[in-house]
Amino acid sequence: MFDRGWNCFHDVLMNIDRASANAFQLVAVGANRLLRLLGEWQQGETSLHEELAAQLRILVRTGALPSGSRLPSERSLGTALGVSRNTVTKALDELRADGLLSSRQGDGTYVTVSRRPNASRGGDRLRSFLSEKMPDRIDLRSAALPGLPMVADEFNSVDSSRTRELVAGHGYIPAGLIELRHAIAGYYTDLGLPTTPEHILVTSGAQQALRLAAAVFVGPGSTVLVEEPTFRGAIESLRSLGATLVSVASGADGVDVDDLARKVAALSPALIVLQSTVHNPTGSVLDSFRRSRVASISVRHNVPVLDDATLADTIIDGERRPIPLAAGGDQIMTVGSVSKSFWGGLRVGWLRAHPDIVAELAAIKGGEDLGTSVLAQIVAAKLLGQIERARDERLTMLGERRRLALEAVAEHLPTWVPQVPLGGGSLWLRLPQPGATALVQRAERAGVRLLPGPTFSVDDRLDDFVRLSYANDPALTRLGIESIARTWNELGATDSA
Ligand SMILES: Cc1ncc(COP(=O)(O)O)c(C=O)c1O
């Protein structure tokens, strides 16, 4: 099952550079769903096929139509949209010329975001579309943080004798560099969860850890419980394994434990995937009572849990070092990373699991990528020794940016209800009524990008939510919020016209 293609739908890259996708998760998108996603695509400004093409490009670029999505046939799309098949063909031809779609004889049309947008006529059109409509883009989609200066310092002071020693060997270390495994074990032991290096598999980011761990328990048709909303990368990874995803409600207090208990009892899932400590997108942190309830549900029903705690070191409010959920038993695995605490560019993450699982996955990872970069691991090991300082720096920066973003929302979007995040770099906002997808499409035309709720939904719901990042420069975040408010008000005016 490991040679299946999968997309690295890492949150940082998501919707910014689909180019990293080198294989597709094949998902058919029905005509009705596409119709809903397209929203108000007819602006009456240019020809029908150009407007349809422009809106489809936005859907691909915002991730609403991820790589591998199979579009409905041209005939059925034309019927659903109430336009001629010829209009649809011309619109799709434009996206094919841009390298955003490809068609296979007898097998339909797929979203295929290529590594390098080709310099075709279509590519030129896309560029002129962007410069015309989005002179000044503000991107509030990615909650990825800039790296801490200490990352560069550590790179500059790498111990050369240790490097020479390592370079004298072959450098293929699938389970991870021993000093980093020790450092990660120490990180968990300090959090109150005794851990040895044998519990740790170093991975190329948390995203790889998620997929590798899930693949041990999940195959085609397996039922997996995931939070609604949840991190898009988890949805894509699980779908690429063929899992059937069933949503469990998740809100300001984290996963709804009663809903979880009901669904575990009713469905006997193969795996539960959740985020106990700083949830993406809601920013929630599970309290200790709910942690113990989740752990006992998993023990009682013998269901493994994959706890993605990638954002754990970005806590702003409350207990700064909660005891990991995995303290509740060996059946709970934890995903972690230095991406949010230090720098995503290191591409160092890990899985903490039972040593038997770690050994099994090390062999699989070896077959897949032969191991994570040793130089990045040397630096990550040194950095973990400064985790407390990194937590402080993240708290200071994120606390201030969150405050400013909440102020701007209260001022410009007073009817929107933010769920105040306890950590991380984004706001999860409830709109007074559904319409997030249409809003995001309009906002993009006005030069501001944010993510609609359905991005985080396994069932394509949550159209009354958006996620807005405050990880960027606060002045830009404020400008972005002001522009979104203008777009929202215009939409309201259109609706009531
Ligand atoms: C919840 C969650 N899990 C995993 C990841 C992937 O992290 P990494 O950069 O370590 O692969 C992200 C990145 O945004 C995330 O938000």
Side-chain angles (χ1 to χ4, degrees):
M1 73 183 107
F2 294 99
D3 57 4
R4 233 166 234 286
W6 68 286
N7 285 336
C8 178
F9 284 99
H10 178 288
D11 196 32
V12 179
L13 300 180
M14 192 170 69
N15 311 311
I16 297 174
D17 184 7
R18 291 268 164 191
S20 58
N22 53 11
F24 309 125
Q25 174 230 345
L26 304 175
V27 177
V29 180
N32 287 338
R33 171 147 180 245
L34 190 49
L35 196 63
R36 254 188 301 129
L37 289 172
L38 281 165
E40 303 165 38
W41 61 276
Q42 292 187 44
Q43 301 296 313
E45 287 168 12
T46 53
S47 67
L48 273 181
H49 77 267
E50 281 179 20
E51 293 194 332
L52 180 57
Q55 199 72 342
L56 283 167
R57 275 190 202 102
I58 290 174
L59 291 179
V60 172
R61 295 178 57 245
T62 56
L65 282 177
S67 272
S69 306
R70 189 173 74 188
L71 301 191
S73 71
E74 293 176 7
R75 186 189 306 275
S76 62
L77 187 51
T79 309
L81 292 172
V83 298
S84 74
R85 182 179 173 179
N86 194 28
T87 298
V88 175
T89 306
K90 278 162 105 178
L92 298 191
D93 279 348
E94 288 203 12
L95 273 83
R96 281 187 273 259
D98 293 347
L100 299 176
L101 289 182
S102 74
S103 298
R104 299 177 213 159
Q105 192 69 39
D107 191 27
T109 299
Y110 290 82
V111 176
T112 51
V113 184
S114 58
R115 179 159 290 281
R116 218 181 284 247
N118 66 26
S120 66
R121 192 176 54 94
D124 291 342
R125 269 204 207 143
L126 174 59
R127 270 186 291 284
S128 76
F129 170 79
L130 292 179
S131 55
E132 240 173 65
K133 307 242 174 181
M134 296 187 285
D136 241 338
R137 269 170 283 152
I138 297 177
D139 199 333
L140 304 181
R141 293 173 304 178
S142 171
L145 301 164
L148 293 181
M150 66 175 98
V151 177
D153 296 344
E154 285 302 343
F155 259 107
N156 291 331
S157 61
V158 164
D159 173 359
S160 58
S161 59
R162 178 64 178 139
T163 314
R164 264 197 295 277
E165 192 188 334
L166 284 163
V167 170
H170 55 58
Y172 296 112
I173 315 171
L177 192 64
I178 191 62
E179 54 257 50
L180 177 56
R181 295 173 78 198
H182 267 290
I184 299 166
Y187 165 98
Y188 282 110
T189 305
D190 287 349
L191 290 176
L193 175 61
T195 301
T196 66
E198 291 70 36
H199 287 98
I200 304 298
L201 173 74
V202 176
T203 57
S204 300
Q207 181 71 39
Q208 186 184 40
L210 262 174
R211 188 184 52 86
L212 285 175
V216 173
F217 300 94
V218 176
S222 309
T223 300
V224 178
L225 299 187
V226 294
E227 288 168 283
E228 175 91 343
T230 199
F231 168 53
R232 187 76 204 172
I235 298 177
E236 301 298 349
S237 290
L238 292 163
R239 286 215 172 118
S240 75
L241 295 168
T244 301
L245 304 185
V246 176
S247 61
V248 177
S250 189
D253 298 323
V255 68
D256 177 334
V257 185
D258 293 328
D259 195 27
L260 180 72
R262 266 192 307 276
K263 288 180 176 152
V264 169
L267 301 170
S268 302
L271 182 68
I272 300 166
V273 177
L274 50 77
Q275 299 173 63
S276 68
T277 315
V278 186
H279 183 280
N280 176 4
T282 67
S284 69
V285 176
L286 266 192
D287 63 22
S288 53
F289 176 62
R290 290 182 175 83
R291 277 170 201 258
S292 63
R293 284 195 64 201
V294 170
S296 63
I297 291 167
S298 112
V299 171
R300 199 165 349 113
H301 295 274
N302 196 21
V303 181
V305 175
L306 186 53
D307 179 24
D308 179 359
T310 299
L311 277 74
D313 297 310
T314 64
I315 290 184
I316 305 170
D317 292 334
E319 166 64 88
R320 290 190 56 203
R321 294 153 39 103
I323 298 180
L325 186 67
D330 262 0
Q331 77 291 353
I332 303 178
M333 300 167 285
T334 312
V335 169
S337 176
V338 297
S339 292
K340 308 297 171 181
S341 43
F342 295 101
W343 189 41
L346 280 167
R347 305 309 307 132
V348 171
W350 58 82
L351 177 75
R352 183 200 178 278
H354 188 279
D356 292 347
I357 293 177
V358 167
E360 183 183 339
L361 288 179
I364 292 163
K365 177 171 159 68
E368 192 168 279
D369 68 5
L370 302 172
T372 295
S373 159
V374 171
L375 289 178
Q377 292 187 66
I378 294 176
V379 172
K382 296 287 293 287
L383 287 169
L384 277 179
Q386 301 174 67
I387 187 67
E388 212 43 54
R389 211 178 110 206
R391 288 182 183 128
D392 285 345
E393 292 195 22
R394 289 314 195 197
L395 183 151
T396 308
M397 187 187 113
L398 290 171
E400 178 63 0
R401 291 183 181 191
R402 181 188 65 177
R403 183 181 70 75
L404 294 169
L406 284 168
E407 262 176 31
V409 168
E411 187 179 336
H412 297 287
L413 291 160
T415 58
W416 289 22
V417 183
Q419 182 173 305
V420 178
L422 298 185
S426 51
L427 294 181
W428 183 240
L429 295 143
R430 185 194 280 275
L431 315 185
Q433 74 259 359
T437 306
L439 169 73
V440 167
Q441 289 165 4
R442 280 246 187 159
E444 169 130 12
R445 292 181 180 182
V448 179
R449 294 171 172 171
L450 71 167
L451 290 171
T455 305
F456 303 92
S457 164
V458 297
D459 302 319
D460 208 19
R461 290 185 305 211
L462 304 175
D463 200 41
D464 50 344
F465 284 91
V466 294
R467 194 192 82 167
L468 185 154
S469 159
Y470 53 82
N472 298 303
D473 177 338
L476 284 182
T477 306
R478 168 168 273 275
L479 282 177
I481 291 170
E482 286 170 9
S483 169
I484 292 165
R486 280 193 297 277
T487 305
W488 176 250
N489 293 334
E490 277 164 27
L491 266 179
T494 319
D495 283 352
S496 50

